[in-house]
Amino acid sequence: MKAVVLDGSAADDRCGQRVRQTLLDQCAAQGYVAQTFTLREGEIGNCAGDFFCWVRSPGQCVVADDNRAIAAAIVAAELLIYLTPMTFGGYSSLLKQAVDHQIQNIAPFFVTLNGETHHERRYDRYPNFLVIGWQGAPNPRAEAIFRHLVWRNSLNFYAPATHCTIVTGMPAEAELAAQMASALAAIARAEPMGVPELPELPDGTAHHTPPRNALLLVGSPRTRKSTSFALGEYLMQQLAAQGIATSTVFLHTTLNNPAKLQALLGQLATTDLIVLAFPLYIDTLPAPVIRFLEQLAARPRPPLPKRFVVIGNCGFPEARHLENALAICAEFAYAAGYDWQGGLALGGGEMVHGEPLAKLDGRAMPIRAALAIAAEALAQGHPIPAAAQERMNRTFIPAWLYRLVGSIGWRVEARRWGVHSELYRRPYQTE
């Protein structure tokens, strides 16, 4: 049996080193031949969010780096294993960078699973799925978020069996070996994981004074052409109309530029309200956004609490796909010493497609209304009220119609690249 291990730990992570070696020993004892990808040593670019792996070179990322070897190995494996330190209840940015590219192993078209929209299979068979995370001390909220994320991934990856194990502290060798052996045994028995319960978002923190300035962080690689920017820009316009100074930074063009990154960190020191707008990538935040949050959480806590707000959007018509990502953002705020002031989730974000909200027709009225409600509250120092998300949830297109229009759109794009007859191509299938 073949196991593929994606190691998302840092080089100086002692717990990660122990978990990895103990796991590999137990894999060998249970008959697995493990192929390990040490992600910090590989070369994987950030997912560009261009969907070329669906409509230009179906089933394969257009960037020829280690992501292709990983995708091919996963298709051929009986077991896929993630190793990661728990990051705000989610995966490390190193692991997430590889996970984001697994979109090439599923198809663009839609199916309904458990009453919600997902993407179709590309391959007939997918591996079982085991995720092992570790943390320094018990954290029930982060543990619940982590298990929920693993479960969400298992749905989109069509895993026949799924198991999640969390290592806390530095257990003795015998205890750690028992944990790894138990996890592999659970996979062998195909024990159902069940649906983990996601903790409710914490109440937002109210301030007695309004913010003087607000900074929009756009987490989409499409920058100004993204739905994330369209949503964030409209909120910034509403805040500016109430006398709040606003500015915008695009994370994807900032993180790899040391000068821009230092300027951003300096700007954050004098910012009252931080707004993060992002697209959903494989059930949670895109890898570069996680990497930036990791850097912020590692810095000294701000002397005066920063107010933190998020706006997420996803390509599925149901906004609940974003629940895990918002929970991770709230956990980050707690870890970094920021004041959580709430979040908004938009399903069917591709219908906005980066167009300025003010120019869209009546379909965008609930979105504009939701952002206006949020801006009014934030401008007074209050958290985003429930009424804003309730307004956002007024879907501007039925789910069945969204799926139909989306499927037609994928075919039109594929025809543009001359691959409309290859949309279900299986480049990594060897049998």
Side-chain angles (χ1 to χ4, degrees), residues 202-222:
D203 294 333
T205 303
H207 285 249
H208 297 298
T209 58
R212 297 164 302 172
N213 49 48
L215 171 63
L216 171 64
L217 302 174
V218 179
S220 171
R222 298 184 190 179

Side-chain angles (χ1 to χ4, degrees), residues 1-29:
M1 297 182 293
K2 180 181 177 182
V4 170
V5 180
L6 303 186
D7 180 358
S9 65
D12 60 353
D13 188 334
R14 288 187 60 244
C15 186
Q17 293 168 6
R18 294 181 65 227
V19 168
R20 169 173 162 162
Q21 188 56 56
T22 304
L23 170 74
L24 293 177
D25 291 343
Q26 291 299 319
C27 280

Side-chain angles (χ1 to χ4, degrees), residues 189-323:
R189 292 191 300 268
E191 292 181 357
M193 182 177 180
V195 181
E197 185 175 348
L198 189 67
E200 292 185 4
L201 289 175
D203 294 333
T205 303
H207 285 249
H208 297 298
T209 58
R212 297 164 302 172
N213 49 48
L215 171 63
L216 171 64
L217 302 174
V218 179
S220 171
R222 298 184 190 179
T223 60
R224 292 185 179 276
K225 297 180 180 180
S226 67
T227 297
S228 299
F229 176 63
L231 298 173
E233 180 189 39
Y234 193 84
L235 179 68
M236 291 293 110
Q237 291 170 349
Q238 304 305 302
L239 292 172
Q242 300 191 51
I244 297 172
T246 66
S247 57
T248 299
V249 171
F250 300 97
L251 291 179
H252 278 252
T253 57
T254 299
L255 292 179
N256 293 325
N257 184 314
K260 287 185 176 181
L261 180 58
Q262 286 304 311
L264 171 57
L265 294 175
Q267 185 176 1
L268 285 172
T270 59
T271 297
D272 295 332
L273 173 63
I274 301 166
V275 179
L276 171 64
F278 64 89
L280 193 73
Y281 274 30
I282 314 292
D283 300 307
T284 187
L285 301 159
V289 176
I290 297 173
R291 177 155 58 98
F292 181 65
L293 297 185
E294 288 171 341
Q295 293 180 32
L296 289 187
R299 294 172 62 84
R301 288 188 168 225
L304 296 176
K306 305 295 180 184
R307 311 166 201 199
F308 186 63
V309 167
V310 297
I311 308 172
N313 72 92
C314 70
F316 295 130
E318 303 92 2
R320 63 177 175 270
H321 286 276
L322 285 148
E323 290 174 348

Side-chain angles (χ1 to χ4, degrees), residues 26-228:
Q26 291 299 319
C27 280
Q30 297 196 26
Y32 286 101
V33 176
Q35 180 180 7
T36 302
F37 292 90
T38 305
L39 299 175
R40 63 180 179 270
E41 298 174 358
E43 181 181 348
I44 302 177
N46 294 319
C47 176
D50 52 24
F51 299 114
F52 283 176
C53 63
W54 283 349
V55 298
R56 183 173 175 178
S57 57
Q60 188 174 65
C61 180
V62 295
V63 179
D65 61 21
D66 291 343
N67 83 81
R68 291 185 179 179
I70 292 172
I74 290 171
V75 170
E78 282 75 37
L79 176 60
L80 170 62
I81 304 174
Y82 290 172
L83 302 180
T84 179
M86 289 168 55
T87 306
F88 321 122
Y91 304 150
S92 70
S93 58
L94 272 172
L95 176 60
K96 192 57 169 51
Q97 197 165 31
V99 173
D100 285 346
H101 286 282
Q102 290 186 44
I103 192 173
Q104 63 192 294
N105 282 353
I106 55 178
F109 302 109
F110 299 116
V111 294
T112 302
L113 299 174
N114 299 330
E116 63 185 22
T117 307
H118 291 267
H119 290 293
E120 284 188 7
R121 295 169 174 263
R122 181 175 296 278
Y123 295 92
D124 294 330
R125 186 190 66 82
Y126 288 85
N128 293 326
F129 186 42
L130 171 61
V131 181
I132 301 171
W134 53 89
Q135 57 182 351
N139 184 334
R141 282 190 60 87
E143 292 167 19
I145 296 168
F146 191 77
R147 295 185 189 280
H148 186 270
L149 177 57
V150 172
W151 170 70
R152 296 297 303 185
N153 280 180
S154 74
L155 297 178
N156 285 317
F157 296 159
Y158 291 95
T162 302
H163 188 75
C164 174
T165 290
I166 295 173
V167 177
T168 300
M170 295 291 281
E173 291 296 333
E175 181 183 350
L176 187 57
Q179 275 191 279
M180 299 302 103
S182 176
L184 291 169
I187 288 291
R189 292 191 300 268
E191 292 181 357
M193 182 177 180
V195 181
E197 185 175 348
L198 189 67
E200 292 185 4
L201 289 175
D203 294 333
T205 303
H207 285 249
H208 297 298
T209 58
R212 297 164 302 172
N213 49 48
L215 171 63
L216 171 64
L217 302 174
V218 179
S220 171
R222 298 184 190 179
T223 60
R224 292 185 179 276
K225 297 180 180 180
S226 67
T227 297
S228 299

